[in-house]
């Protein structure tokens, strides 16, 4: 017996999927409505918590400054004590796990979505993704971009403007485009 996966199951597992299927369109529309509602609030509005609990896979009281943008929301999991500054963009076609006490600067992009490299395949409108895991106590500087499939270890620092294309070891500092690990200076 052949098991048939929904397009949502395919998407979340990293398999190629059709982003235009009705199920995924409905989930994105729901997320868009919740983002619209959230982005119209200000700090201290009591409905913020309710909106984030409805939008995110795991909220855990993260402080997220509006505006905040997601694809689906349901695949985003914040640990306790996280902070995200203005204009965080998370394309969450696959799971995104953000560890406890991680701090995210303004205009950061966390992108699990990926696309075919050749034009003919792109024209078929099929895409896929790879999950992103960010450890605990990580600092991500303003304007940084984290690409599909990256794991960032606990206590790492992603410098402002870095484009992270590969895994970052725990405690490392990376900067540049593509981001490269900086050597520790001897004291």
């Amino acid at each position: 017996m052949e098991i048939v996966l929904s397009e949502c199951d395919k998407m979340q597992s990293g398999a190629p999927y059709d982003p235009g299927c009705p199920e995924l369109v409905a989930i994105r529309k729901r997320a868009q409505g919740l983002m619209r509602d959230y982005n119209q609030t200000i700090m201290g509005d009591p409905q913020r918590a309710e909106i984030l609990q409805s939008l995110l896979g795991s909220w855990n009281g993260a402080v997220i400054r509006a505006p905040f943008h997601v694809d689906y929301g349901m695949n985003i999991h914040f640990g306790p004590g996280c902070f995200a500054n203005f204009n965080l963009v998370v394309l969450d076609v696959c799971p995104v796990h953000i560890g406890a006490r991680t701090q995210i600067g303004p205009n950061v992009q966390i992108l699990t979505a990926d696309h075919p490299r050749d034009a003919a395949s792109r024209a078929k409108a099929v895409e896929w993704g790879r999950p992103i895991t960010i450890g605990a106590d990580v600092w991500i500087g303003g304007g940084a971009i984290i690409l599909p499939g990256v794991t960032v270890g606990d206590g790492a620092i992603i410098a402002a403007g870095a484009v992270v294309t590969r895994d970052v070891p725990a405690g490392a500092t990376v900067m540049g485009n593509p981001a490269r690990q900086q050597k520790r200076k001897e004291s």
Side-chain angles (χ1 to χ4, degrees):
M1 181 165 108
E2 181 181 345
I3 297 174
V4 177
L5 297 176
S6 72
E7 294 301 307
C8 186
D9 291 336
K10 290 178 192 176
M11 176 185 78
Q12 291 175 316
S13 72
Y17 68 95
D18 174 8
C21 82
E23 176 189 22
L24 292 177
V25 169
I27 296 169
R28 282 195 310 275
K29 284 175 77 172
R30 177 184 179 277
Q32 288 171 6
L34 289 166
M35 281 185 304
R36 177 194 57 222
D37 295 346
Y38 184 76
N39 290 334
Q40 300 219 355
T41 66
I42 61 171
M43 288 174 37
D45 281 352
Q47 69 266 33
R48 278 186 149 201
E50 183 180 316
I51 294 168
L52 289 176
Q53 285 174 330
S54 295
L55 176 63
L56 300 173
S58 306
W59 172 50
N60 283 309
V63 174
I64 304 171
R65 290 191 172 167
F68 174 47
H69 307 280
V70 303
D71 263 342
Y72 298 92
M74 66 187 185
N75 294 317
I76 303 168
H77 305 276
F78 282 95
C82 290
F83 171 81
N85 215 320
F86 303 108
N87 208 35
L88 173 61
V89 174
V90 184
L91 301 187
D92 63 310
V93 303
C94 283
V96 174
H97 291 275
I98 301 170
R101 299 169 306 280
T102 288
Q103 306 287 303
I104 302 172
N107 299 310
V108 168
Q109 299 177 51
I110 300 172
L111 312 173
T112 66
D114 209 342
H115 303 275
R117 302 303 181 255
D118 66 284
S121 295
R122 280 194 307 276
K124 296 176 185 172
V126 172
E127 58 186 55
W128 60 87
R130 290 181 285 151
I132 293 174
T133 301
I134 299 168
D137 302 304
V138 171
W139 169 247
I140 303 171
I145 300 172
I146 300 175
L147 295 180
V150 167
T151 295
V152 178
D154 293 344
I157 297 171
I158 310 298
V163 178
V164 184
T165 61
R166 58 180 62 139
D167 291 352
V168 177
T173 297
V174 298
M175 59 181 61
N177 179 5
R180 302 228 188 276
Q181 186 171 344
Q182 302 306 297
K183 296 185 185 199
R184 294 180 186 231
K185 295 182 180 179
E186 299 296 322
S187 2

